[in-house]
């Protein structure tokens, strides 16, 4: 990444984070040029055991330290004294027990900003939860299927990066240090808006009920078709020699050839169609 794309060069970030949202946000900040130190418990980050290759990607370019924070207060305070931004992914009561409540931090380090990733916003900020439970409450699950990825965690990471950049921008313009809280549950609720507003719920226009926006079996796999706009629909019907958007016709047509054939046709005809991998 060139210097022009590393706008956070010179910014010092201390990240007390494990699992997914915090480490992902810390990695993003490092790739933007920040000098990021990630403090893990002595036992390490659980993500390293669960997904070692992903963990390795996320700590590339990040300084990793392992500390028992309960016994290393002096070390932690010394690092905070030379830090621009603190990123955490811990419950509020755990931060307070370490002497890291916002009141304590702001009094001791008035120029330090803090972005806290929490499961839920107050008054439920101490309630236990993980990506699966946040997706469940947001209406993102379709039992018995498990979610394909950790949508809520990953969205929270992106929101945390944005909050970090806003905090640093405010300080650069002469403002005070700030504290922002990113609730994973709030992000999950935003992700569920399409369900709540009927777009992706059963019968909605993006639920697969419309033949132009659906999944189809091919001779050797599956494709995703997203011909929503009229010009795409016209090109699709022309390419398939179909009189109209019709599921039964499309199902029969798409089964005639392998997926690679349809991807090639889509590229040639400028159609929104992709293989399901």
């Amino acid at each position: 990444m060139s210097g022009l794309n590393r706008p956070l060069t010179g910014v010092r970030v201390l990240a007390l984070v494990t699992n997914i949202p915090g480490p992902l946000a810390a990695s993003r900040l490092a790739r933007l040029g920040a000098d990021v130190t990630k403090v893990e418990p002595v036992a390490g980050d659980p993500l390293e055991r669960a997904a070692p290759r992903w963990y390795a990607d996320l700590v590339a370019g990040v300084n990793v330290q392992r500390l028992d924070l309960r016994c290393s207060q002096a070390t932690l305070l010394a690092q905070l004294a030379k830090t621009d931004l603190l990123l955490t992914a811990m419950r509020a009561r755990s931060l307070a027990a370490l002497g890291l409540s916002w009141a304590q931090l702001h009094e001791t380090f008035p120029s330090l900003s803090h972005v806290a990733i929490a499961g839920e916003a107050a008054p439920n900020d101490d309630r236990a939860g993980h990506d699966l439970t946040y997706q469940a409450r947001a209406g993102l699950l379709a039992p018995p299927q498990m979610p394909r990825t950790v949508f809520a965690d990953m969205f929270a990471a992106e929101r945390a990066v944005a909050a970090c950049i806003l905090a640093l921008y405010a300080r650069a313009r002469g403002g005070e240090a700030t504290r922002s809280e990113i609730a994973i549950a709030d992000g999950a609720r935003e992700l569920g808006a399409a369900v709540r507003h009927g777009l992706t719920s059963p019968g909605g226009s993006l639920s697969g009920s419309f033949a132009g926006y659906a999944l189809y079996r091919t001779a050797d796999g599956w494709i995703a078709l997203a011909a929503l706009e009229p010009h795409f629909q016209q090109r699709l019907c022309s390419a398939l020699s179909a009189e109209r958007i019709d599921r039964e016709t499309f199902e029969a047509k798409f089964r005639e050839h392998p997926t690679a054939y349809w991807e090639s046709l889509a590229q040639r005809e400028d159609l929104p169609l992709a293989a399901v991998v």
Side-chain angles (χ1 to χ4, degrees):
M1 186 179 287
S2 69
L4 291 176
N5 293 322
R6 293 175 63 84
L8 300 186
T9 297
V11 171
R12 294 158 300 186
V13 177
L14 184 65
L16 309 182
V17 295
T18 58
N19 293 318
I20 295 173
L24 184 55
S27 175
R28 293 275 196 272
L29 295 173
R31 292 178 186 179
L32 290 171
D35 180 0
V36 179
T37 296
K38 178 178 184 286
V39 176
E40 300 178 356
V42 175
D45 189 333
L47 184 63
E48 184 176 15
R49 298 186 291 276
R53 292 177 61 184
W54 192 14
Y55 170 84
D57 286 343
L58 294 184
V59 298
V62 172
N63 176 33
V64 177
Q65 295 182 2
R66 292 186 174 176
L67 296 174
D68 182 344
L69 293 178
R70 295 167 298 180
C71 304
S72 306
Q73 286 291 92
T75 300
L76 181 61
L77 293 175
Q79 292 199 49
L80 287 172
K82 53 185 181 181
T83 295
D84 299 300
L85 186 140
L86 173 66
L87 174 67
T88 63
M90 304 167 66
R91 294 199 209 185
R93 66 187 182 197
S94 297
L95 288 170
L98 292 171
L100 300 179
S101 69
W102 176 240
Q104 294 166 304
L105 282 172
H106 195 49
E107 180 179 358
T108 309
F109 309 105
S111 63
L112 175 70
S113 291
H114 180 200
V115 173
I117 300 174
E120 299 185 50
N124 297 319
D125 49 342
D126 276 328
R127 182 159 65 176
H130 270 297
D131 179 275
L132 186 63
T133 57
Y134 304 133
Q135 287 202 48
R137 292 194 180 100
L140 293 172
L141 301 185
Q145 290 81 13
M146 290 288 287
R148 290 283 289 172
T149 191
V150 284
F151 295 107
D153 279 354
M154 298 183 78
F155 188 46
E158 297 303 325
R159 296 180 75 212
V161 170
C164 290
I165 292 172
L166 287 173
L168 293 168
Y169 178 72
R171 286 288 293 124
R173 288 176 60 86
E176 293 187 357
T178 60
R179 180 185 186 276
S180 300
E181 184 175 271
I182 303 300
I184 303 173
D186 288 349
R189 180 169 173 76
E190 288 184 29
L191 288 173
V195 179
R196 293 194 305 277
H197 292 284
L199 281 176
T200 56
S201 55
S205 59
L206 303 185
S207 69
S209 61
F210 171 53
Y213 192 93
L215 303 178
Y216 289 95
R217 189 183 293 275
T218 67
D220 64 352
W222 289 83
I223 56 172
L225 173 68
L228 284 175
E229 293 81 3
H231 60 280
F232 285 137
Q233 295 170 23
Q234 291 168 7
R235 285 183 211 156
L236 176 66
C237 288
S238 176
L240 297 182
S241 299
E243 295 183 0
R244 57 190 175 84
I245 301 294
D246 177 73
R247 182 178 299 277
E248 187 174 345
T249 299
F250 288 178
E251 287 177 346
K253 290 282 187 179
F254 286 131
R255 281 180 178 267
E256 292 176 359
H257 300 285
T259 300
Y261 172 91
W262 296 114
E263 284 198 299
S264 177
L265 179 142
Q267 184 173 8
R268 186 170 64 250
E269 301 294 335
D270 187 28
L271 290 170
L273 179 154
V276 176
V277 298

